Amino acid sequence: MKNSLSFIMPAWPLITVLILVFILSSVANARVSPKLGVFQGVTSLHSENNDAVGEQYLAEGDFKAYYYKQTLDHFNYRPDSYATFKQKYMINNKYWGGKYENAPIFVYLGDEAPLGNSYRYVGFMSENAERFRALLVYIEHRYYGESIPFRSREEAFSNASTLGYFSSAQAIADYAAILIHIKKTLRARYSPVIAVGGSYGGMLASWFRLKYPHVVLGALASSAPILYFDDITPNDGYFTVATRDFQEESQSCYETIKESWDEMDRIASLPDGLSILSQTFNTCSPLSDVDQLKDRLVGIYSAAAQYSSPLVTLLCQGIDGAPQGSDILTRIHEGIVTAYQGRFTCFPVTFDGAKSETYEGWSWQTCTEMVMPIGRGNETMFFPSPFNLTEFNQQCKKSYGVEPRSHWATTYYGGRDIKLVLERFGSNIIFSNGLKDPYSSGGVLEDLSKSLVAITTEKGTHCMDILNSNPTDPKWLVKQREEEVKIIKGWLNKYYKDL
């Protein structure tokens, strides 16, 4: 069995070029699982109780970055649990109304990638800061970017003992500690906090509101598949939606893709089959086996469905527009060429993605608690590849010496009978999903209560609502963002009235 840990997740699905980067970073594995994630001014925050805070290392425009002296283990009282590491967060106070107004704090919860320039792209935060007079805070997830426990990244990722502090529960506890510290330092005790996150970060935002309601007033959870655990969502839900996206775009395109897998296997079985496939697809290096090609194509199709309806259109235009008489695989290749729009001279089928922080980090997270059983059955346009928990556990045991706790996410955060449960104690969460996003199959698509609201858009893709707005945005996207703003304004108005 090949490496099953191909849960490669975001960075920023902002423009087609970035989507293509994602496509190229998909590692060819037996289990190609779609990437998560969104795409991926205070002058001093010095505190006697946290002498690492205030060590400013970046000041770019209205954004300033700081380190927080974070506790290694929030849930254990062993002496070694009291060790600390520097956790990065950024602040923009340009529009903040200040402590005397009890002006709100908008916090972006970092996901499975370095914080990087995310503050540039989370338009929902910056574009609404002035109207709400909000302080903007961006926090990096532990074990990503510069927020690395222990003395180095190599040591932190060296074995399961040092990786054992790497979990979503620790992450949202980190967020709570930093926000409490910021509010204390700024003497902004009554400034309400609104959390924003996308994809895995959206999952964290919803869970943060449920676990820490005394810290965060409400959450916008964009494209958050919190129901893609255990058997709550059908295993092939993701690829069923991806298939529907292509079929709605073009029936002939869908049929060509569906028929192509058997044709690849047929040619690969010939004496010189791999060489023929390498030439047909103009691969940058000779194929070592047919799965290498098939898995890369699965990555391309799923990324296109998840992040960009225009890219689905381009792929199908190329497939359907191939010269008359072209065979199936030539049509597939024409689709790729059209989608790439001449950006590459050959088709890259190998990529050393295992060195990326997102791959390394998310591989560990999926081998412990974030077990999303995504597989493919016989009813999609893709070749079958059912999720096999036994094999997955074996691979994780081989890689890390630990087995996944496949039921822990639903045990710790819930998910089953979600409406029956959350309408009794949950509140103030927006679950937003674009229905063209395959991950919407694991999202909350119906209101759970008056304040646990689902906003869906038929043409939306992954995390579109929280990214920067554009003058060419369709009306439905503009309306979606306006509705989210209206809901958050209602939360704040009620809070201030109660206060």
Side-chain angles (χ1 to χ4, degrees):
M1 177 183 174
K2 296 182 183 178
N3 186 354
S4 296
L5 309 181
S6 51
F7 288 83
I8 316 228
M9 308 287 178
W12 292 100
L14 184 61
I15 54 177
T16 300
V17 172
L18 292 180
I19 296 169
L20 292 176
V21 169
F22 160 70
I23 289 171
L24 293 182
S25 68
S26 299
V27 179
N29 297 92
R31 178 157 304 285
V32 177
S33 296
K35 199 174 185 182
L36 263 171
V38 182
F39 41 83
Q40 290 156 15
V42 177
T43 58
S44 176
L45 285 177
H46 180 72
S47 167
E48 293 180 359
N49 297 324
N50 198 309
D51 56 10
V53 177
E55 182 182 349
Q56 183 180 324
Y57 73 96
L58 170 67
E60 183 175 344
D62 301 313
F63 295 90
K64 295 181 181 180
Y66 302 87
Y67 295 126
Y68 176 76
K69 191 175 180 181
Q70 189 61 266
T71 301
L72 177 63
D73 186 355
H74 298 285
F75 308 109
N76 199 304
Y77 298 96
R78 288 166 48 93
D80 53 349
S81 297
Y82 288 84
T84 61
F85 65 96
K86 290 183 178 181
Q87 185 166 10
K88 178 182 177 182
Y89 67 99
M90 300 188 70
I91 284 184
N92 178 348
N93 75 331
K94 180 178 181 179
Y95 298 109
W96 192 43
K99 61 183 180 181
Y100 296 111
E101 290 186 17
N102 297 318
I105 298 171
F106 287 178
V107 58
Y108 175 75
L109 305 185
D111 52 25
E112 72 285 15
L115 192 59
N117 292 326
S118 58
Y119 62 91
R120 296 175 182 267
Y121 304 119
V122 188
F124 191 89
M125 298 266 291
S126 57
E127 292 170 12
N128 289 296
E130 185 172 10
R131 79 169 77 184
F132 284 102
R133 296 175 62 77
L135 180 74
L136 301 182
V137 179
Y138 304 77
I139 308 177
E140 188 167 67
H141 194 297
R142 61 167 55 199
Y143 283 82
Y144 292 105
E146 299 178 56
S147 303
I148 304 295
F150 304 101
R151 288 169 293 188
S152 67
R153 181 171 186 81
E154 289 71 25
E155 181 178 352
F157 280 76
S158 61
N159 57 63
S161 294
T162 52
L163 283 168
Y165 304 98
F166 187 0
S167 71
S168 62
Q170 297 280 9
I172 60 177
D174 290 342
Y175 300 149
I178 289 177
L179 287 166
I180 289 171
H181 168 74
I182 290 174
K183 292 179 72 173
K184 181 179 179 180
T185 304
L186 299 180
R187 296 177 175 84
R189 176 181 177 183
Y190 294 109
S191 289
V193 175
I194 302 295
V196 177
S199 202
Y200 169 55
M203 298 162 78
L204 295 177
S206 66
W207 293 334
F208 190 37
R209 168 60 185 168
L210 294 175
K211 292 291 187 181
Y212 295 88
H214 56 290
V215 177
V216 59
L217 176 68
L220 170 55
S222 176
S223 300
I226 63 170
L227 303 181
Y228 222 132
F229 294 98
D230 286 342
D231 58 355
I232 300 174
T233 295
N235 287 183
D236 62 355
Y238 182 99
F239 288 101
T240 297
V241 175
T243 296
R244 185 187 67 205
D245 290 344
F246 278 85
Q247 193 167 16
E248 289 178 350
E249 179 64 36
S250 166
Q251 181 68 22
S252 61
C253 173
Y254 152 79
E255 291 176 355
T256 299
I257 294 172
K258 187 174 183 178
E259 295 170 4
S260 67
W261 313 113
D262 286 342
E263 181 65 6
M264 290 179 214
D265 288 336
R266 185 189 69 80
I267 293 178
S269 67
L270 300 175
D272 201 26
L274 290 179
S275 177
I276 295 172
L277 289 173
S278 298
Q279 293 175 14
T280 300
F281 285 88
N282 189 28
T283 60
C284 297
S285 58
L287 292 170
S288 58
D289 62 58
V290 68
D291 287 339
Q292 190 178 28
L293 174 61
K294 290 165 66 177
D295 290 342
R296 178 48 52 87
L297 290 172
V298 170
I300 289 174
Y301 301 144
S302 59
Q306 183 171 327
Y307 290 109
S308 172
S309 292
L311 199 53
V312 172
T313 300
L314 286 173
L315 282 163
C316 284
Q317 284 178 347
I319 290 172
D320 293 342
Q324 188 173 5
S326 298
D327 60 33
I328 290 177
L329 299 189
T330 298
R331 295 202 298 273
I332 296 293
H333 179 251
E334 285 298 311
I336 295 168
V337 171
T338 302
Y340 284 171
Q341 296 180 327
R343 287 187 175 88
F344 307 104
T345 57
C346 59
F347 181 39
V349 291
T350 59
F351 180 81
D352 195 7
K355 291 184 178 180
S356 72
E357 289 185 42
T358 292
Y359 181 89
E360 269 195 310
W362 195 250
S363 291
W364 165 261
Q365 289 191 262
T366 56
C367 264
T368 49
E369 60 171 347
M370 303 302 295
V371 183
M372 303 178 74
I374 300 175
R376 303 190 297 273
N378 296 316
E379 305 303 320
T380 73
M381 71 176 190
F382 301 90
F383 61 94
S385 180
F387 181 83
N388 187 311
L389 182 60
T390 300
E391 291 183 0
F392 186 77
N393 288 348
Q394 291 172 349
Q395 184 62 37
C396 289
K397 183 75 172 179
K398 179 180 178 181
S399 297
Y400 297 107
V402 300
E403 288 189 9
R405 295 178 180 173
S406 58
H407 305 297
W408 181 243
T410 52
T411 300
Y412 190 67
Y413 298 114
R416 297 186 182 281
D417 303 314
I418 190 169
K419 179 177 176 62
L420 182 66
V421 173
L422 290 192
E423 69 178 354
R424 285 164 170 75
F425 84 91
S427 63
N428 294 5
I429 303 175
I430 300 170
F431 296 99
S432 64
N433 282 279
L435 298 183
K436 284 191 172 294
D437 173 16
Y439 268 121
S440 67
S441 59
V444 177
L445 305 182
E446 296 181 355
D447 292 353
L448 305 180
S449 71
K450 290 184 178 180
S451 66
L452 295 169
V453 183
I455 297 179
T456 60
T457 52
E458 290 186 8
K459 297 181 180 180
T461 53
H462 204 62
C463 300
M464 290 182 72
D465 55 323
I466 66 171
L467 298 179
N468 291 338
S469 64
N470 189 293
T472 61
D473 284 340
K475 291 182 180 180
W476 57 263
L477 180 55
V478 174
K479 183 179 179 182
Q480 177 186 8
R481 290 171 175 149
E482 290 175 346
E483 180 65 18
E484 292 167 353
V485 168
K486 180 181 177 181
I487 293 170
I488 292 172
K489 185 177 180 180
W491 295 343
L492 293 171
N493 287 343
K494 186 178 186 306
Y495 171 83
Y496 289 127
K497 182 179 179 181
D498 294 341
L499 185 63

